[in-house]
Amino acid sequence: MSHRRCRYCLQLFQPSRYHPHQLVCSRPDCQRQRRREYHRRKLHTDPEYHQVCRDSQQKWRCRHPDYSRQYRQSHPKSVERNRQAQRQRDRKRHLRNLVKNNLAFDLKHSAAEVWLLGPQAENLAKNNLAFSQVLILPTVRLSPAAAAGS
Ligand SMILES: [Zn+2]
């Protein structure tokens, strides 16, 4: 039987005679990665599989009601990272809703550049990760009567 190259570790391996179409070698790390990819793909493509996984997680949480609270207490960095990620998702959702909303109908792209000044800007320029924030400021329109009165 001929050798194959594992798609993960790129090492040559001999496919099992029970699985002649084997594409991944039998090293535990490669098998773990294969299962993880299968699981993620299946979650996206199979609603029933997704539901079964969700039910299973729910049952586990019911059997271990204190786990999440204890984990958060012992992993403050993880809590902060989750909090930041959630804020980012909330901002994105908020922005998407604004775009969908008629009130922001005259939303336009601005080609303006942002220049960073000061000693901390040097650190920011070196860093690949830069936080960005999008602000949408509604224009204030005065009614003709109010404009005439002021
Ligand atoms: Zn491998």
Side-chain angles (χ1 to χ4, degrees):
M1 196 176 262
S2 65
H3 283 73
R4 285 218 180 103
R5 196 168 291 283
C6 172
R7 64 201 290 189
Y8 299 123
C9 67
L10 305 178
Q11 302 293 311
L12 290 174
F13 70 96
Q14 179 94 44
S16 159
R17 75 174 128 153
Y18 305 108
H19 302 283
H21 302 293
Q22 184 180 352
L23 295 173
V24 176
C25 78
S26 54
R27 287 177 54 229
D29 281 351
C30 294
Q31 287 298 314
R32 205 172 297 124
Q33 193 166 348
R34 179 187 64 78
R35 283 191 298 270
R36 188 170 46 229
E37 281 183 12
Y38 170 82
H39 175 69
R40 284 189 184 150
R41 198 173 343 106
K42 192 84 170 155
L43 278 179
H44 283 288
T45 57
D46 185 344
E48 196 172 322
Y49 182 84
H50 189 97
Q51 190 58 47
V52 168
C53 289
R54 184 170 276 184
D55 291 348
S56 168
Q57 289 166 350
Q58 206 164 5
K59 280 179 197 159
W60 191 90
R61 279 197 301 272
C62 283
R63 286 194 310 269
H64 305 87
D66 294 333
Y67 176 82
S68 295
R69 190 174 46 79
Q70 284 168 1
Y71 182 87
R72 284 193 295 271
Q73 278 175 354
S74 59
H75 297 79
K77 280 183 182 174
S78 174
V79 171
E80 188 51 37
R81 195 173 45 242
N82 280 342
R83 195 167 285 146
Q84 293 296 335
Q86 186 59 51
R87 281 194 192 122
Q88 199 75 21
R89 286 192 296 270
D90 289 346
R91 280 190 205 120
K92 273 186 190 168
R93 182 163 18 89
H94 184 64
L95 190 58
R96 272 197 305 272
N97 287 340
L98 277 177
V99 170
K100 277 186 215 159
N101 198 323
N102 284 339
L103 290 175
F105 199 70
D106 55 353
L107 188 70
K108 299 238 173 17
H109 168 74
S110 167
E113 285 185 41
V114 175
W115 294 86
L116 305 170
L117 298 173
Q120 291 177 344
E122 193 179 330
N123 292 334
L124 267 178
K126 284 179 195 162
N127 201 330
N128 284 339
L129 292 172
F131 291 100
S132 64
Q133 188 159 25
V134 178
L135 297 175
I136 296 179
L137 304 171
T139 54
V140 178
R141 290 202 180 123
L142 294 172
S143 67
S150 61

